[in-house]
Amino acid sequence: MTIAYRGRGNIYLNITSRCPSDCSFCIAGFTDMVFGADLRLEREPSLDEILAELENAFLDGPADQVVFAGLGEPTMRLDEVLAVTEWLTLRRLASRLNTNGLGELINPGRDVAAELAAAGLGAASISLVAHNSEVYNQLCRPIYSKAYRAVLKFAGRCIEEGIGTELTVVDLPEVDKEACRSIAGKLGAAFRVRPLVTPASGEPVE
Ligand code: SF4
């Protein structure tokens, strides 16, 4: 099974397939393949397995960043994300978390942004998805009732903790991109519109 894979100059880590949302645009709904790698996991890799695969991936050369991504939500495995981030920080290697921003609902009672910052996380790319909770809930179908509010709060906390933070949306007609850009701007986050990946549109992107 593929735990570490390369694309766009980065090394990506695939550590879970679990997620508390069921987004209508999720590529996991139609493919297991990303950057030519099959990301189907028979089981979740242990921390030792993740670090061994990471070391192997670096044998092929340096990377701009190591990115927690895959076809699930990395903060479902927060302890492993923190341990790998610490491992990277010790080696002065850049790290980024691609997340749905629900880490504090997934891990109640923990200050996820503070723990990530303490581990040395350099960047967080947080999926804002929509300009309001109604559209968010319609597109993401999260198991939590206050998910959208949690995303905004998490983004604010990441910024407070000094983590380079961007909010992203997928280019969908239901989404008011300019309103989302404004939300990101008010929070002090960067903003990016990601293309919609469909079965017909070719290579999935981060
Ligand atoms: S949050 Fe990400 S992994 Fe989870 S369903 Fe949505 S797109 Fe897929």
Side-chain angles (χ1 to χ4, degrees), residues 1-6 11-18 27-28 31-35 37-47 49-51 53-54 57 66-75 77 80-81 84 96-98:
M1 63 186 182
T2 304
I3 299 168
Y5 55 103
R6 280 184 174 266
I11 294 172
Y12 293 86
L13 291 177
N14 175 38
I15 63 172
T16 184
S17 301
R18 291 181 290 139
I27 61 170
T31 187
D32 296 317
M33 302 297 291
V34 178
F35 292 129
D38 184 348
L39 300 190
R40 196 173 4 181
L41 291 171
E42 305 141 15
R43 59 180 171 76
E44 293 190 335
S46 67
L47 176 59
E49 287 174 315
I50 297 167
L51 292 176
E53 286 297 310
L54 192 49
V66 173
V67 184
F68 297 94
L71 294 181
E73 167 50 37
T75 60
R77 302 195 67 199
E80 286 77 7
V81 169
V84 174
R96 185 176 90 211
L97 172 66
N98 285 0

Coordinates of all heavy atoms in Angstrom, one line a residue, residues 1-6 11-18 27-28 31-35 37-47 49-51 53-54 57 66-75 77 80-81 84 96-98:
M1 N 0.8 -1.2 0.0 CA 0.0 0.0 0.0 C 0.9 1.2 0.0 O 2.0 1.2 0.5 CB -1.0 0.0 1.2 CG -0.3 0.0 2.6 SD -1.6 -0.2 3.9 CE -0.5 -0.1 5.3
T2 N 0.4 2.3 -0.6 CA 1.2 3.5 -0.8 C 1.0 4.4 0.4 O -0.2 4.9 0.7 CB 0.8 4.3 -2.0 OG1 0.9 3.4 -3.1 CG2 1.6 5.5 -2.2
I3 N 2.0 4.7 1.2 CA 2.0 5.6 2.3 C 2.5 7.0 2.0 O 2.0 8.0 2.3 CB 2.7 5.0 3.5 CG1 2.1 3.6 3.9 CG2 2.7 5.9 4.7 CD1 2.9 2.8 4.9
A4 N 3.7 6.9 1.2 CA 4.3 8.2 0.7 C 4.3 8.2 -0.8 O 4.6 7.2 -1.4 CB 5.7 8.3 1.3
Y5 N 4.0 9.3 -1.4 CA 4.0 9.4 -2.8 C 4.4 10.8 -3.2 O 4.4 11.8 -2.4 CB 2.7 9.1 -3.4 CG 1.5 9.9 -2.9 CD1 0.9 10.9 -3.7 CD2 0.9 9.6 -1.7 CE1 -0.2 11.6 -3.2 CE2 -0.2 10.3 -1.2 CZ -0.7 11.3 -1.9 OH -1.8 12.0 -1.5
R6 N 4.9 11.0 -4.4 CA 5.5 12.3 -4.8 C 4.6 12.9 -5.9 O 3.9 12.3 -6.6 CB 6.8 12.1 -5.4 CG 7.9 11.9 -4.4 CD 9.3 11.8 -5.1 NE 10.3 11.8 -4.1 CZ 11.0 12.9 -3.6 NH1 10.7 14.1 -4.2 NH2 11.9 12.9 -2.7
I11 N 6.5 15.6 -1.2 CA 6.2 14.2 -0.8 C 4.9 14.3 0.0 O 4.7 15.1 0.9 CB 7.3 13.6 0.1 CG1 8.6 13.4 -0.7 CG2 6.8 12.3 0.7 CD1 9.8 13.0 0.2
Y12 N 3.9 13.5 -0.4 CA 2.6 13.4 0.3 C 2.5 12.2 1.1 O 3.0 11.1 0.8 CB 1.5 13.4 -0.8 CG 1.4 14.7 -1.6 CD1 2.2 14.9 -2.7 CD2 0.6 15.7 -1.1 CE1 2.1 16.1 -3.4 CE2 0.5 16.9 -1.8 CZ 1.3 17.1 -3.0 OH 1.2 18.3 -3.6
L13 N 1.8 12.3 2.2 CA 1.6 11.2 3.1 C 0.2 10.8 3.2 O -0.7 11.6 3.4 CB 2.1 11.5 4.5 CG 3.6 11.7 4.7 CD1 4.0 12.1 6.1 CD2 4.4 10.4 4.3
N14 N -0.1 9.5 3.1 CA -1.4 8.9 3.0 C -1.5 8.0 4.2 O -1.0 6.9 4.2 CB -1.5 8.1 1.7 CG -2.8 7.3 1.6 OD1 -3.8 7.8 1.9 ND2 -2.6 6.1 1.0
I15 N -2.2 8.5 5.3 CA -2.1 7.8 6.6 C -3.5 7.3 7.0 O -3.6 6.6 8.0 CB -1.4 8.6 7.7 CG1 -2.2 9.9 8.0 CG2 0.0 8.9 7.2 CD1 -1.6 10.7 9.2
T16 N -4.5 7.8 6.4 CA -5.9 7.3 6.8 C -6.8 7.5 5.6 O -6.6 8.3 4.8 CB -6.4 8.0 8.0 OG1 -7.6 7.5 8.4 CG2 -6.6 9.5 7.7
S17 N -7.9 6.6 5.6 CA -9.0 6.8 4.7 C -10.2 7.3 5.4 O -11.3 7.5 4.7 CB -9.3 5.5 4.0 OG -8.2 5.0 3.3
R18 N -10.1 7.5 6.7 CA -11.3 7.9 7.4 C -11.5 9.4 7.3 O -10.6 10.2 7.3 CB -11.2 7.5 8.9 CG -11.2 6.0 9.1 CD -11.1 5.7 10.6 NE -9.7 6.0 11.1 CZ -9.4 6.5 12.3 NH1 -10.4 6.9 13.1 NH2 -8.2 6.7 12.6
I27 N -12.7 13.2 -4.3 CA -12.2 12.3 -5.3 C -12.2 10.9 -4.9 O -12.3 10.0 -5.7 CB -10.8 12.7 -5.8 CG1 -9.8 12.6 -4.7 CG2 -10.7 14.1 -6.5 CD1 -8.3 12.7 -5.2
A28 N -12.3 10.6 -3.6 CA -12.3 9.3 -3.1 C -13.6 8.6 -3.5 O -13.7 7.4 -3.5 CB -12.3 9.2 -1.6
T31 N -12.2 7.5 -7.4 CA -10.8 7.0 -7.7 C -10.0 6.8 -6.4 O -10.3 7.4 -5.4 CB -10.1 7.9 -8.6 OG1 -8.9 7.3 -9.0 CG2 -9.7 9.2 -7.9
D32 N -9.1 5.8 -6.5 CA -8.1 5.7 -5.5 C -6.7 6.2 -5.9 O -5.7 6.2 -5.2 CB -7.8 4.2 -5.1 CG -9.1 3.5 -4.6 OD1 -9.8 4.2 -3.7 OD2 -9.4 2.4 -5.0
M33 N -6.7 6.8 -7.2 CA -5.4 7.1 -7.7 C -5.1 8.6 -7.6 O -6.0 9.4 -8.0 CB -5.4 6.8 -9.2 CG -5.6 5.3 -9.5 SD -4.3 4.2 -8.8 CE -2.9 4.6 -9.9
V34 N -3.9 9.0 -7.1 CA -3.5 10.4 -7.1 C -2.0 10.4 -7.5 O -1.2 9.7 -7.0 CB -3.7 11.0 -5.6 CG1 -3.1 12.4 -5.6 CG2 -5.1 10.9 -5.2
F35 N -1.7 11.3 -8.4 CA -0.3 11.4 -9.0 C 0.2 10.0 -9.3 O 1.4 9.7 -9.1 CB 0.6 12.1 -7.9 CG 0.3 13.5 -7.7 CD1 0.2 14.0 -6.4 CD2 0.2 14.4 -8.7 CE1 -0.1 15.3 -6.1 CE2 -0.1 15.8 -8.5 CZ -0.2 16.2 -7.2
A37 N -0.4 7.2 -8.0 CA -0.2 6.3 -6.8 C -1.6 5.8 -6.4 O -2.6 6.5 -6.4 CB 0.5 7.0 -5.7
D38 N -1.7 4.5 -6.1 CA -2.9 3.9 -5.6 C -3.0 4.1 -4.1 O -2.2 3.5 -3.4 CB -3.0 2.4 -6.0 CG -4.3 1.7 -5.6 OD1 -5.1 2.4 -4.8 OD2 -4.5 0.6 -6.0
L39 N -3.9 4.9 -3.7 CA -4.0 5.3 -2.2 C -4.9 4.5 -1.4 O -5.2 4.8 -0.2 CB -4.3 6.8 -2.1 CG -3.4 7.8 -2.8 CD1 -3.7 9.2 -2.4 CD2 -1.9 7.5 -2.5
R40 N -5.4 3.4 -2.0 CA -6.3 2.5 -1.2 C -5.5 1.9 0.0 O -4.4 1.4 -0.3 CB -6.8 1.4 -2.1 CG -8.0 0.6 -1.5 CD -8.5 -0.3 -2.6 NE -7.6 -0.2 -3.8 CZ -7.7 -0.9 -4.9 NH1 -8.7 -1.7 -5.0 NH2 -6.8 -0.8 -5.9
L41 N -5.9 2.0 1.2 CA -5.2 1.5 2.3 C -5.9 0.2 2.8 O -7.1 0.3 3.1 CB -5.2 2.5 3.5 CG -4.3 3.7 3.3 CD1 -4.5 4.7 4.4 CD2 -2.8 3.4 3.2
E42 N -5.2 -0.9 2.9 CA -5.8 -2.1 3.5 C -6.0 -1.9 5.0 O -6.9 -2.5 5.6 CB -4.8 -3.3 3.4 CG -4.4 -3.6 2.0 CD -2.9 -4.0 1.9 OE1 -2.3 -4.3 3.0 OE2 -2.4 -3.9 0.8
R43 N -5.1 -1.1 5.6 CA -5.2 -0.8 7.0 C -4.4 0.5 7.2 O -3.7 0.9 6.3 CB -4.6 -1.9 7.9 CG -3.2 -2.1 7.6 CD -2.5 -3.2 8.4 NE -1.2 -3.5 7.8 CZ -0.1 -2.8 8.0 NH1 -0.2 -1.7 8.7 NH2 1.0 -3.1 7.4
E44 N -4.6 1.1 8.4 CA -3.8 2.4 8.6 C -2.4 2.0 9.0 O -2.2 1.2 9.9 CB -4.5 3.2 9.7 CG -5.8 3.7 9.3 CD -6.4 4.7 10.2 OE1 -6.1 4.7 11.4 OE2 -7.3 5.5 9.8
P45 N -1.4 2.7 8.4 CA 0.0 2.4 8.7 C 0.4 2.9 10.1 O -0.2 3.9 10.6 CB 0.8 3.1 7.6 CG -0.1 4.3 7.2 CD -1.5 3.7 7.3
S46 N 1.3 2.1 10.7 CA 1.8 2.5 12.1 C 2.7 3.7 11.9 O 3.2 4.0 10.8 CB 2.5 1.4 12.7 OG 3.7 1.1 12.0
L47 N 3.0 4.4 13.0 CA 4.0 5.5 12.9 C 5.3 5.0 12.4 O 5.9 5.7 11.6 CB 4.2 6.1 14.4 CG 5.2 7.2 14.5 CD1 4.8 8.4 13.6 CD2 5.3 7.7 15.9
E49 N 5.9 2.6 10.3 CA 5.8 2.4 8.9 C 5.8 3.7 8.1 O 6.4 3.8 7.1 CB 4.5 1.6 8.6 CG 4.6 0.2 9.0 CD 3.2 -0.6 8.8 OE1 2.2 0.0 9.2 OE2 3.2 -1.7 8.3
I50 N 5.1 4.7 8.7 CA 5.0 6.0 8.0 C 6.4 6.6 7.9 O 6.9 7.1 6.9 CB 4.1 7.0 8.8 CG1 2.7 6.5 8.8 CG2 4.1 8.4 8.2 CD1 1.8 7.2 9.8
L51 N 7.2 6.6 9.1 CA 8.5 7.2 9.1 C 9.5 6.4 8.1 O 10.3 7.0 7.4 CB 9.1 7.2 10.5 CG 8.3 8.2 11.4 CD1 8.9 8.1 12.8 CD2 8.4 9.6 10.9
E53 N 8.6 4.8 5.4 CA 8.3 5.1 4.0 C 8.7 6.6 3.7 O 9.1 6.8 2.5 CB 6.7 5.0 3.8 CG 6.3 3.6 3.7 CD 6.9 2.9 2.5 OE1 6.8 3.4 1.4 OE2 7.4 1.8 2.7
L54 N 8.7 7.4 4.7 CA 9.1 8.8 4.4 C 10.6 8.8 4.2 O 11.1 9.5 3.2 CB 8.8 9.6 5.7 CG 8.9 11.1 5.7 CD1 8.2 11.7 4.4 CD2 8.3 11.7 6.9
A57 N 11.2 7.6 0.7 CA 10.8 8.6 -0.3 C 11.9 9.7 -0.4 O 12.2 10.1 -1.6 CB 9.5 9.3 0.1
V66 N 6.7 18.2 2.9 CA 6.0 17.0 3.2 C 4.6 17.3 3.6 O 4.4 18.2 4.5 CB 6.7 16.1 4.3 CG1 5.9 14.9 4.7 CG2 8.1 15.7 3.8
V67 N 3.6 16.8 2.9 CA 2.2 17.2 3.0 C 1.4 16.0 3.5 O 1.4 15.0 2.9 CB 1.7 17.7 1.6 CG1 0.3 18.2 1.8 CG2 2.6 18.7 1.0
F68 N 0.7 16.3 4.6 CA -0.3 15.3 5.1 C -1.5 15.4 4.2 O -2.2 16.5 4.2 CB -0.7 15.5 6.5 CG 0.5 15.4 7.4 CD1 1.3 16.5 7.8 CD2 0.9 14.1 7.9 CE1 2.4 16.3 8.7 CE2 2.0 14.0 8.8 CZ 2.7 15.1 9.1
A69 N -1.9 14.4 3.4 CA -3.0 14.6 2.5 C -3.7 13.2 2.4 O -4.3 12.8 3.3 CB -2.4 15.0 1.1
G70 N -3.6 12.6 1.2 CA -4.3 11.3 1.0 C -5.8 11.4 0.7 O -6.2 12.5 0.4
L71 N -6.5 10.3 0.9 CA -7.9 10.3 0.6 C -8.8 10.3 1.8 O -10.0 10.1 1.8 CB -8.3 9.1 -0.3 CG -7.6 9.0 -1.7 CD1 -8.1 7.8 -2.4 CD2 -8.0 10.3 -2.5
G72 N -8.2 10.7 3.0 CA -8.9 10.8 4.2 C -8.5 12.1 4.9 O -7.7 12.9 4.4
E73 N -9.0 12.3 6.1 CA -8.7 13.5 6.9 C -7.5 13.2 7.9 O -7.7 12.4 8.8 CB -9.9 13.9 7.7 CG -9.7 15.0 8.7 CD -8.9 16.2 8.2 OE1 -9.0 16.6 7.1 OE2 -8.0 16.6 9.0
P74 N -6.4 13.8 7.7 CA -5.2 13.4 8.5 C -5.4 13.6 10.0 O -4.8 12.8 10.8 CB -4.1 14.4 8.0 CG -4.5 14.7 6.6 CD -6.0 14.7 6.6
T75 N -6.2 14.6 10.4 CA -6.3 14.8 11.9 C -7.2 13.7 12.5 O -7.3 13.7 13.8 CB -6.9 16.2 12.2 OG1 -8.2 16.3 11.6 CG2 -6.0 17.3 11.7
R77 N -5.9 11.1 12.7 CA -4.7 10.4 13.3 C -3.8 11.6 13.8 O -2.6 11.6 13.4 CB -4.0 9.5 12.3 CG -4.9 8.4 11.8 CD -4.2 7.3 11.1 NE -3.4 6.6 12.1 CZ -2.3 5.8 11.7 NH1 -2.0 5.7 10.5 NH2 -1.7 5.1 12.6
E80 N -0.2 10.8 15.2 CA 0.8 10.4 14.2 C 1.2 11.6 13.4 O 2.4 11.8 13.1 CB 0.2 9.3 13.2 CG 0.2 7.9 13.8 CD -1.0 7.7 14.8 OE1 -1.9 8.7 14.9 OE2 -1.1 6.7 15.4
V81 N 0.3 12.5 13.1 CA 0.6 13.8 12.4 C 1.6 14.6 13.2 O 2.6 15.1 12.7 CB -0.7 14.6 12.1 CG1 -0.3 16.0 11.6 CG2 -1.5 13.9 11.1
V84 N 5.1 12.8 13.3 CA 5.8 13.0 12.0 C 6.3 14.4 11.8 O 7.4 14.7 11.3 CB 4.9 12.5 10.8 CG1 5.6 12.8 9.5 CG2 4.6 11.0 10.9
R96 N 3.3 20.5 5.7 CA 2.0 21.2 5.5 C 0.9 20.1 5.8 O 1.1 19.0 5.5 CB 1.9 21.6 4.1 CG 0.7 22.4 3.8 CD 0.6 22.9 2.4 NE 0.0 22.0 1.4 CZ 0.3 21.9 0.2 NH1 1.3 22.6 -0.4 NH2 -0.3 21.0 -0.6
L97 N -0.1 20.6 6.4 CA -1.3 19.8 6.6 C -2.4 20.2 5.7 O -2.9 21.4 5.7 CB -1.7 20.0 8.1 CG -3.0 19.3 8.5 CD1 -3.0 17.8 8.5 CD2 -3.4 19.8 9.9
N98 N -2.9 19.3 4.9 CA -4.1 19.5 4.1 C -5.3 19.0 4.9 O -5.3 17.8 5.2 CB -4.1 18.8 2.8 CG -3.2 19.5 1.8 OD1 -2.5 20.5 2.1 ND2 -3.0 18.9 0.6

